Amino acid sequence: MQPFLDGLRQLLGPADLLTDPADMAPYLTDWRRMFSGPALAILRPGSTEQVSAAVGLCAQHGVAIVPQGGNTGLAGGATPLGRAPQVVLSLARMTAIGTPDPIGMVIEAQAGCILQRVKEVAADCGRQLPISLAAEGSATVGGVIATNAGGVNVLRYGMARDFVLGLEVVLPDGTVVKGLKPLRKDNAGFDWKHLFIGSEGAFGIVTAAVLRLTPATRHRSVALLSVQDLPAATRLLGLFQDRIGETLSAFELISADAIRLVETQCGLGAPVSGGNWFLLVEAASSLDGLPAAVQATLEAAYEAGLLQDGTLAASEQQAQSLWALRKHVTEAESRCGKSLKHDVSLPLRRMGAFLESIQARLAGLAPAARLNIFGHLGDGNLHVNVVLGDTPLSIASRITGMVHDLVAEAGGSISAEHGLGQYRLADWQRLTPKTERDLAIDIKRAMDPKGLMNPGKAVPGTSHRQ
Ligand code: FAD
Ligand code: 2HG
Ligand code: ZN
């Protein structure tokens, strides 16, 4: 491998080809320390041309590539897997942001840009990029696109896919495809960019994107509410949709246990009591009548007996502290030791029975484990996580298998927004019809015939087709 590494050093310079184990370590494990794997080197190209040349060298030498952005992913997609020769290719140095066009409502950004920074640049010109995640201070444009990230505003604005107007990608042989047109409408043939959105680096490397912006909203109303049970939460969702549906931008569920975790682990306090479930509801609009409309909807909810307690933020600062409770759940969970992530979506009407079955089965399988349930109820997507406590790691796959089996029985998805990565690929293969699996494998074979792009993540290897 020496000629390969020499070629890369010549291309990138010694500072951006990391081979020292201590320098490489942060790139070889995920932030939760659930996944780790070896690599020959870490590549930190600074331009699309360097990405292209580095990928070309990898193809020539048969070395696999693991693309990496902010390394905030929750499915082990950005961590090397197995012992075949591989490198991690970090996009962290590619951080250029173009001048936004506030009338055309578009912005161009390189893949390594931190999502929060792009949002700030959009906000400075009176527009918004409403992709909102607790990880937005570290997640990159490339990672968000490669995972088709969701977040807390999907209910109103859609997932990352809905914001991508143009893409520049590097194919597995090093070819650069420049598709950075800032067009809202383009039906001139097959829209290939969707192959790369949500494919977790298995087909190529995203190097830049043109993103759609939306008008900024001038008012927002944020409420934290508590309800007794899930049927009350879903009825409340219906009430909000009926009365102020077009302004509803978040409808997030947090279990009382999850709120307690945030309180004990992160020292934040919830100003609302009672009920088994909490809801963080946000509405936004540029029209002046929003606060009165939200107030009237809450009064109707009280009258209908749906609410146990609640508070409506009276200032932007209060709105932010209510949101902090929701945004700290992942952090609070990680402070409780190892946990298993289950990122499920299913038809809302089946959610209650699904959660009850999990509760009952988990009690039998792992009595020391605790459920940590929260997420995007308005999208039918909950994070049904299991904090393991003293449960042996050896039964982790049985617990996850049990949850995923119940998801499949309810006609749901085992990954609503985080992707399959290396974590869910085996269960996806187990639970997905052969025709669908074979289609994925055939597309992978066409896109990446040598199987060098992020092997073992998102798509089964081509040898799995029988
Ligand atoms: P990474 O973790 O570096 O990579 C993720 C995947 O994308 C890997 O498979 C990697 O190989 C691939 N990839 C990265 N960059 C590229 C590229 N340029 N080209 C091709 N492939 C690439 N996700 C949600 O969907 N919704 C949420 O609400 C949400 N909240 C989160 C909250 C917290 C606190 C944390 C830690 C994570 C959260 N996530 C959420 C998961 C994660 O942040 C997102 O999936 C994010 O989009 C990943 O971006 P990243 O730059 O960190 O990607
Ligand atoms: C969220 O909704 C993220 O906050 C993270 O998707 C979920 O920690 C998780 O499981
Ligand atoms: Zn989520």
Side-chain angles (χ1 to χ4, degrees):
M1 283 295 150
Q2 204 50 50
F4 168 66
L5 291 174
D6 289 344
L8 286 175
R9 195 165 290 109
Q10 208 172 0
L11 172 71
L12 302 170
D16 290 305
L17 178 77
L18 312 182
T19 50
D20 180 90
D23 295 339
M24 287 169 52
Y27 299 86
L28 300 179
T29 185
D30 68 312
W31 72 277
R32 293 199 310 137
R33 301 190 181 283
M34 295 295 282
F35 312 96
S36 59
L40 296 170
I42 313 298
L43 284 49
R44 292 168 39 91
S47 65
T48 300
E49 293 68 35
Q50 282 192 347
V51 175
S52 161
V55 171
L57 265 175
C58 291
Q60 211 180 312
H61 291 267
V63 174
I65 300 168
V66 182
Q68 192 174 96
N71 201 12
T72 67
L74 295 170
T79 310
L81 174 69
R83 307 212 70 82
Q86 59 194 321
V87 294
V88 172
L89 190 148
S90 165
L91 282 298
R93 287 179 61 224
M94 294 181 54
T95 58
I97 302 180
T99 308
D101 172 356
I103 305 297
M105 293 212 282
V106 293
I107 191 165
E108 186 174 321
Q110 279 187 317
C113 291
I114 301 295
L115 176 60
Q116 186 172 295
R117 183 70 200 119
V118 186
K119 290 173 66 132
E120 285 164 1
V121 172
D124 286 346
C125 78
R127 298 292 177 256
Q128 59 173 350
L129 176 60
I131 305 176
S132 303
L133 333 162
E136 66 194 37
S138 308
T140 61
V141 165
V144 164
I145 292 173
T147 57
N148 186 27
V152 298
N153 292 146
V154 171
L155 175 66
R156 176 159 175 184
Y157 296 105
M159 297 184 68
R161 182 183 303 283
D162 297 295
F163 292 92
V164 181
L165 298 180
L167 267 195
E168 178 186 82
V169 297
V170 173
L171 300 180
D173 66 355
T175 304
V176 180
V177 186
K178 269 193 191 296
L180 289 172
K181 285 185 184 166
L183 304 178
R184 270 153 203 269
K185 301 181 78 171
D186 183 3
N187 270 350
F190 156 65
D191 199 351
W192 56 264
K193 65 178 180 283
H194 290 289
L195 270 178
F196 295 88
I197 304 168
S199 61
E200 303 179 65
F203 296 158
I205 297 178
V206 174
T207 46
V210 177
L211 301 171
R212 178 175 73 83
L213 302 176
T214 68
T217 45
R218 280 192 296 123
H219 309 288
R220 78 164 173 167
S221 294
V222 175
L224 183 68
L225 311 170
S226 68
V227 294
Q228 195 52 38
D229 49 29
L230 216 53
T234 48
R235 279 180 62 204
L236 192 64
L237 174 62
L239 185 75
F240 271 95
Q241 279 164 341
D242 288 345
R243 298 181 71 121
I244 55 163
E246 72 280 15
T247 69
L248 199 58
S249 49
F251 196 88
E252 297 282 306
L253 183 82
I254 317 167
S255 70
D257 287 342
I259 287 281
R260 264 190 291 278
L261 270 195
V262 172
E263 289 181 330
T264 53
Q265 299 295 329
C266 304
L268 301 177
V272 169
S273 58
N276 294 319
W277 299 97
F278 288 73
L279 291 159
L280 197 297
V281 182
E282 180 185 88
S285 173
S286 288
L287 302 180
D288 290 338
L290 182 74
V294 172
Q295 186 68 48
T297 307
L298 288 176
E299 279 160 21
Y302 272 114
E303 274 163 30
L306 295 176
L307 295 182
Q308 300 287 309
D309 190 12
T311 183
L312 181 59
S315 65
E316 182 53 28
Q317 197 189 353
Q318 280 181 16
Q320 283 177 19
S321 15
L322 295 183
W323 264 116
L325 291 162
R326 166 64 183 88
K327 290 185 177 166
H328 276 78
V329 182
T330 299
E331 174 71 31
E333 182 187 299
S334 75
R335 291 184 190 189
C336 298
K338 295 260 184 259
S339 64
L340 307 175
K341 300 281 186 195
H342 302 116
D343 166 34
V344 313
S345 62
L346 42 145
L348 264 181
R349 67 197 151 75
R350 307 188 76 158
M351 199 63 96
F354 166 77
L355 293 182
E356 276 169 25
S357 303
I358 289 188
Q359 220 134 20
R361 293 199 196 180
L362 189 67
L365 197 57
R370 292 286 164 268
L371 280 169
N372 186 36
I373 304 173
F374 62 103
H376 321 287
L377 187 70
D379 309 328
N381 167 202
L382 291 184
H383 303 299
V384 187
N385 298 344
V386 174
V387 178
L388 286 171
D390 290 334
T391 310
L393 256 184
S394 54
I395 67 158
S397 60
R398 276 174 63 200
I399 298 174
T400 293
M402 174 273 285
V403 174
H404 289 171
D405 286 351
L406 288 171
V407 171
E409 276 166 32
S413 164
I414 64 165
S415 178
E417 55 175 7
H418 297 161
L420 298 176
Q422 54 180 280
Y423 177 49
R424 301 188 176 92
L425 188 55
D427 267 8
W428 181 83
Q429 284 180 260
R430 189 169 66 78
L431 296 167
T432 303
K434 179 170 163 37
T435 44
E436 209 180 311
R437 278 183 282 137
D438 285 350
L439 179 62
I441 292 168
D442 288 346
I443 296 171
K444 170 76 173 171
R445 185 177 288 152
M447 296 296 298
D448 179 23
K450 293 183 176 171
L452 294 178
M453 285 308 309
N454 218 1
K457 326 285 175 55
V459 190
T462 47
S463 59
H464 288 82
R465 200 184 194 310
Q466 285 139 12

